[in-house]
Amino acid sequence: MIVDRDALRRELRQRRRAVPPAQRLQAAEAVAERLQALPFMPTQGYVAGYWAMDGELALHVWQLRLPPGLVYCLPVLHDDGRLRFAPWRAGDPLVTNRYGIPEPDLGPEACLEAGAIALAVLPLVAFDRSGQRLGMGAGWYDRTFAQRRDSAGPPWLAGVAYSFQEAERLDARSWDVPLDAVCTETETLIPVTA
């Protein structure tokens, strides 16, 4: 069965936006615990998250509980169509990118390439049990982590979502980069690779 990706995006984004605040906070707590327990969770180096928008599951709890040897980074759009990652702590200055998403207010020289990240936590609209991820459709994360199509981590890639964002099956496109794990408020999924 071919999934209508645009219809699925519309439906799941609406459901995500409708999650009540108390449920959002509980989910952020549960996901933070699941991320910390990942078998490839680093203890030092750089980890990347995202600024939650459009009902995405927030990462603030996870960020605040990171071990002291880890530096939290946020993605920054780059002119080549790939993301770079800039260190960021709560209270550091932000600017808004062309999609209205806050980014650290740092120059390009302060940004890291994808290969410098030990673990990247990615937002998503839908996922399936094989680790396929459906994003917003612009391909930023797939281009950024394209080297992961043919090699193991690091960087390790973990998706974060509410359990209702699971799809039965997402058809993989040639450019899709599968996830190493998906953490929801109810479970951690680590796909078995062939």
Side-chain angles (χ1 to χ4, degrees), residues 89-141:
R89 290 187 315 238
D92 287 351
L94 295 163
V95 294
T96 303
N97 69 26
R98 65 178 171 245
Y99 297 109
I101 302 169
E103 297 178 343
D105 189 12
L106 299 171
E109 70 285 349
C111 294
L112 304 164
E113 296 286 336
I117 303 298
L119 168 64
V121 178
L122 286 59
L124 53 86
V125 177
F127 68 94
D128 70 14
R129 296 227 156 231
S130 69
Q132 290 301 313
R133 169 188 172 273
L134 179 66
M136 293 295 288
W140 285 94
Y141 284 100

Side-chain angles (χ1 to χ4, degrees), residues 54-125:
D54 192 43
E56 292 168 339
L57 213 148
L59 297 178
H60 62 282
V61 175
W62 179 63
Q63 179 191 3
L64 293 172
R65 293 182 184 165
L66 289 174
L70 288 173
V71 176
Y72 186 78
C73 299
L74 285 174
V76 176
L77 302 181
H78 195 267
D79 291 339
D80 66 0
R82 293 184 305 125
L83 299 168
R84 303 298 191 276
F85 300 90
W88 184 80
R89 290 187 315 238
D92 287 351
L94 295 163
V95 294
T96 303
N97 69 26
R98 65 178 171 245
Y99 297 109
I101 302 169
E103 297 178 343
D105 189 12
L106 299 171
E109 70 285 349
C111 294
L112 304 164
E113 296 286 336
I117 303 298
L119 168 64
V121 178
L122 286 59
L124 53 86
V125 177

Side-chain angles (χ1 to χ4, degrees), residues 3-4 6 39-40 55 75 83 85 102 112 121 130 132 152 162 173 176:
V3 172
D4 180 341
D6 290 333
F40 44 78
L83 299 168
F85 300 90
L112 304 164
V121 178
S130 69
Q132 290 301 313
Y162 294 100
R173 307 279 171 88
D176 287 340

Side-chain angles (χ1 to χ4, degrees), residues 116-169:
I117 303 298
L119 168 64
V121 178
L122 286 59
L124 53 86
V125 177
F127 68 94
D128 70 14
R129 296 227 156 231
S130 69
Q132 290 301 313
R133 169 188 172 273
L134 179 66
M136 293 295 288
W140 285 94
Y141 284 100
D142 290 317
R143 283 189 301 276
T144 300
F145 295 107
Q147 77 278 8
R148 282 299 320 281
R149 277 195 297 273
D150 303 315
S151 65
W156 300 103
L157 306 177
V160 167
Y162 294 100
S163 57
F164 65 75
Q165 291 176 257
E166 181 178 349
E168 185 175 328
R169 181 170 168 260

